[in-house]
Amino acid sequence: MASAATPSPVLKQPVRIACVQLASGSDKAANLARAAEKVREAAAGGAKIVVLPECFNSPYGCDHFPHYAETLLPSPPSAEDSPSFHALAAMARDNGVYLIGGSIPERETTLSQEGAQPQTRYYNTALIFSPSGSLLATHRKVHLFDIDIPGGITFRESDVLSPGNKLTVVDLPEYGLVGIAICYDVRFPELATIAARKGCFALVYPGAFNLTTGPLHWELLGRARALDNQCYVALCSPARDMTEGVYHAWGHSLVVDPMAKVIVQAGEGEEVVFADLDEQKIESARSGIPLRHQRRFDVYPDVSQAKVNTEKA
C-alpha cells in the first residue's frame, strides 16, 4: 500500500516570537512610547514576530473604552483619528518585524439611513502589521467578556463593546499562517480548531485575564488550545499594576509548544519573553499522536468545513 504523502510544513522556517508584557497607564502617548521601546527590545533579542497585550494603549475597563477609542475606518486612518495605528506601523517598520499589536478600543460611527442620527459602536480590535509597516489584518474580539463569578469578579464588556464577526488568519509569507484572536476568544475552541485546520502554525491571543480567572485558567487554556491543535500558542498579557484602575491583569505571558509544554512564561511585571518556534516540533507532535488521521467525521462534523466568516490576509 502506498504511504500517505508527506504534508507540507505549516511553519516554513524557524522563527523567534516575543511576547511583550507591558504596563499601561492613563497617558496614551506614554503607553505608545513605552510599547515602542519594548518592541525595539524584542527585535534586538532576535524576535521576528512580536506580540503586544490586549488594550496596550489604555487602561482596561468599560469606563475607559469610549475615552481611548480610535477611528480605524476608512483605512488607513489619519494620525489624528488613530495615533495608535500609526505608532504600531512605525514600530513594525522601524524594527523589521511582524507586529501583532495587542488590541486597542476602536470607534465606528455609521449612518443607518439618510437623516438618521449617527450610530456609534465600539470594538476591541487587534491590528497586525508587516515588517514594512503595512496593515495585514484586523481582528475584532468575537466573544465579549461577560461573566459573573460570585465572590470573584463581575464584568460586562457588552455594556459598551460590540462583537466582531470574523475569524482572522494572517499570512506571514516567510513563515506561514497565524491565527489571531483576543482574550476571551481563547475559551471557545472552535475558533482555534478552524484556524489550525486552515494551516496555522501558531495561535496568538493578546489577553488580559484577571486575578480570579488568571490563576485558574490562563495557562490551562493556552496548553489546551495547543494540545487540541498540535500547534504553538502564545498568550500575551498586560503587566500587573495594582495601582492602576480596578481591573488588575494576571500577567504570566507565555508560549506553549505543540505537545502542550510551556516553553517560556513571564512573571507579573513588565517583561519580554522569547520562544523559538520550529516545524519539527509541530510535525513530531502530529506524527507521534496522529489526530489528523484519526478524526471521525462520520460521527461528528468537521467544523472547519462549515461556512465561516474569515478575514485572511
Side-chain angles (χ1 to χ4, degrees):
M1 180 179 295
S3 60
T6 302
S8 300
V10 294
L11 177 56
K12 298 175 185 177
Q13 61 176 309
V15 63
R16 175 167 286 189
I17 191 171
C19 291
V20 176
Q21 187 161 286
L22 188 69
S24 297
S26 57
D27 185 333
K28 183 188 287 188
N31 294 337
L32 295 176
R34 184 64 172 161
E37 177 185 336
K38 302 306 279 186
V39 170
R40 283 194 298 272
E41 180 182 329
K48 297 300 182 184
I49 303 171
V50 180
V51 188
L52 292 173
E54 182 180 23
C55 286
F56 81 94
N57 72 342
S58 69
Y60 177 82
C62 289
D63 292 341
H64 300 298
F65 296 142
H67 178 67
Y68 287 88
E70 301 181 8
T71 299
L72 298 175
L73 296 174
S75 187
S78 69
E80 181 179 2
D81 283 339
S82 185
S84 299
F85 179 102
H86 291 274
L88 289 167
M91 292 177 214
R93 182 181 63 249
D94 293 348
N95 295 286
V97 297
Y98 288 101
L99 182 59
I100 299 168
S103 75
I104 66 171
E106 176 193 358
R107 178 191 302 107
E108 182 180 53
T109 301
T110 59
L111 288 173
S112 56
Q113 57 184 0
E114 189 174 351
Q117 289 294 317
Q119 301 292 314
T120 299
R121 291 185 174 87
Y122 298 98
Y123 299 92
N124 189 342
T125 302
L127 299 168
I128 300 92
F129 290 89
S130 76
S132 67
S134 61
L135 180 69
L136 292 178
T138 63
H139 175 78
R140 287 171 168 172
K141 190 174 187 177
V142 172
H143 302 92
L144 298 182
F145 183 53
D146 288 2
I147 67 166
D148 184 6
I149 301 175
I153 183 172
T154 298
F155 202 93
R156 286 186 54 83
E157 276 189 330
S158 65
D159 286 346
V160 176
L161 298 180
S162 296
N165 61 3
K166 289 185 174 63
L167 178 146
T168 302
V169 172
V170 185
D171 186 13
L172 315 184
E174 303 96 317
Y175 305 112
L177 302 178
V178 176
I180 310 294
I182 298 173
C183 199
Y184 200 54
D185 286 339
V186 75
R187 291 187 180 272
F188 298 85
E190 294 87 349
L191 278 183
T193 298
I194 295 167
R197 292 190 197 163
K198 288 184 178 294
C200 291
F201 68 84
L203 308 172
V204 179
Y205 299 89
F209 275 39
N210 55 72
L211 301 187
T212 298
T213 61
L216 289 171
H217 299 149
W218 176 254
E219 180 180 323
L220 175 64
L221 284 163
R223 295 182 68 191
R225 297 293 81 84
L227 181 68
D228 292 345
N229 299 292
Q230 298 177 311
C231 66
Y232 288 98
V233 171
L235 308 183
C236 188
S237 171
R240 190 181 308 173
D241 184 354
M242 300 302 291
T243 67
E244 188 72 42
V246 297
Y247 188 96
H248 301 125
W250 170 239
H252 296 281
S253 299
L254 55 83
V255 182
V256 186
D257 79 7
M259 287 293 282
K261 177 183 177 181
V262 176
I263 304 171
V264 65
Q265 184 167 178
E268 300 170 3
E270 280 200 331
E271 188 174 351
V272 180
V273 294
F274 299 88
D276 293 315
L277 314 188
D278 189 333
E279 165 64 20
Q280 290 184 342
K281 287 288 186 74
I282 300 173
E283 186 52 35
S284 176
R286 295 180 179 185
S287 297
I289 306 174
L291 303 181
R292 61 189 169 195
H293 305 308
Q294 296 172 330
R295 292 191 168 91
R296 291 289 306 277
F297 296 135
D298 59 323
V299 176
Y300 45 79
D302 180 354
V303 294
S304 69
Q305 297 303 310
K307 184 178 179 181
V308 179
N309 287 332
T310 305
E311 177 171 311
K312 184 174 178 179

